[in-house]
Amino acid sequence: MSVNTDRYQTAAARYFEAWNATEPEALAKAVAAAWTADGSYTDPLADVSGHEGIAAVIAGAHGQFPGFVFRPLGAVDGHHDTARFAWELVNEADGSAPVAGFDVVTLDAEGRIRSVLGFLDRVPAGA
């Protein structure tokens, strides 16, 4: 159990705000609020750093899954400068969730994300 859960929950909330931003300006603003300037994002399909690279990965996910939103699954857990949380990608029209995974994030002293290591637990064939 984490000692400072608010810090981890706040970071996760900003992370999901970024992943659910669909307009370019809102996306850029949300990524800048969530990540450090040199922050990174790595999962089996992407390995990028910097706000522009992260925003491009997020925009690509929205292009591949229009009408879907990222939602947390369960609680955020953390210790020191590291947190982990599970998520799913949900179709707003029918509630299906074809993609799910979990992420491990490291935070700076202000609670902004320095790095994300993402893991995909459920991915549809051909995605």
Side-chain angles (χ1 to χ4, degrees):
M1 184 58 76
S2 62
V3 175
N4 185 359
T5 57
D6 285 348
R7 179 176 185 230
Y8 309 120
Q9 291 172 352
T10 298
R14 286 193 306 252
Y15 176 85
F16 285 107
E17 183 177 339
W19 274 95
N20 287 320
T22 56
E23 298 301 319
E25 187 175 313
L27 175 55
K29 184 177 178 179
V31 167
W35 271 269
T36 61
D38 61 346
S40 65
Y41 177 86
T42 303
D43 72 13
L45 307 173
D47 185 8
V48 297
S49 61
H51 292 169
E52 288 184 15
I54 294 165
V57 167
I58 293 170
H62 286 287
Q64 187 174 4
F65 295 96
F68 284 72
V69 294
F70 286 86
R71 292 197 181 140
L73 281 176
V76 178
D77 186 30
H79 62 81
H80 297 86
D81 290 331
T82 305
R84 66 179 178 168
F85 48 86
W87 54 266
E88 63 183 352
L89 185 60
V90 180
N91 183 323
E92 290 186 295
D94 66 15
S96 64
V99 183
F102 77 93
D103 293 340
V104 176
V105 302
T106 57
L107 306 175
D108 72 1
E110 288 78 42
R112 290 176 64 212
I113 298 169
R114 289 186 306 185
S115 68
V116 175
L117 296 176
F119 296 84
L120 302 173
D121 297 324
R122 183 173 61 236
V123 179

